[in-house]
Amino acid sequence: MMVANEVSCLTSEADNKSLEPVPTRFLARQPILDARREVVAYELLFRSGWENCFNGETDVATRQTLDNCVYLGLESLVDDKLAFVNCSREEIGRAHV
């Protein structure tokens, strides 16, 4: 299995036109490959900074990752591929997931 992971500092296009300071958002994107080693989906992972690791509360991380998807646009993160986000059983039962 091939594993690659990238951490990105992201802003939306609308933010780039503003003179206000832009909040920094981080997200890791790990490709999910099929048997031909072609990308079929991405797992979107919470990151709180440039470090390529997770530290923190899982439910908060899920909400922040989903917020980043809405804020930045899911298509800009995964193009035409599927997107997967980790979440707890409790988080699935809440209205915002």
Side-chain angles (χ1 to χ4, degrees), residues 2 5 7-8 10-11 16-17 24 28 33-35 37 43 48 53 56 59 66 69 71-72 86 88 91 94-95:
M2 186 173 161
N5 199 337
V7 176
S8 299
L10 304 166
T11 60
N16 292 334
K17 296 174 185 171
T24 303
L33 310 176
D34 65 10
R37 301 183 102 177
E43 180 180 11
S48 59
C53 63
D59 290 343
L66 293 173
C69 290
Y71 181 76
L72 299 164
N86 289 317
S88 67
E91 208 53 31
R94 295 198 175 109

Side-chain angles (χ1 to χ4, degrees), residues 30-97:
Q30 182 163 330
I32 299 171
L33 310 176
D34 65 10
R36 295 177 301 227
R37 301 183 102 177
E38 294 178 8
V39 176
V40 294
Y42 289 98
E43 180 180 11
L44 301 177
L45 304 160
F46 170 81
R47 295 295 181 259
S48 59
W50 287 109
E51 306 81 34
N52 193 12
C53 63
F54 169 73
N55 295 351
E57 172 64 39
T58 57
D59 290 343
V60 172
T62 298
R63 289 191 296 274
Q64 184 64 49
T65 301
L66 293 173
D67 182 60
N68 285 340
C69 290
V70 171
Y71 181 76
L72 299 164
L74 192 57
E75 188 174 286
S76 71
L77 299 171
V78 298
D79 296 319
D80 62 344
K81 309 291 189 250
L82 295 172
F84 292 90
V85 175
N86 289 317
C87 61
S88 67
R89 181 183 308 262
E90 294 79 19
E91 208 53 31
I92 289 175
R94 295 198 175 109
H96 57 271
V97 175

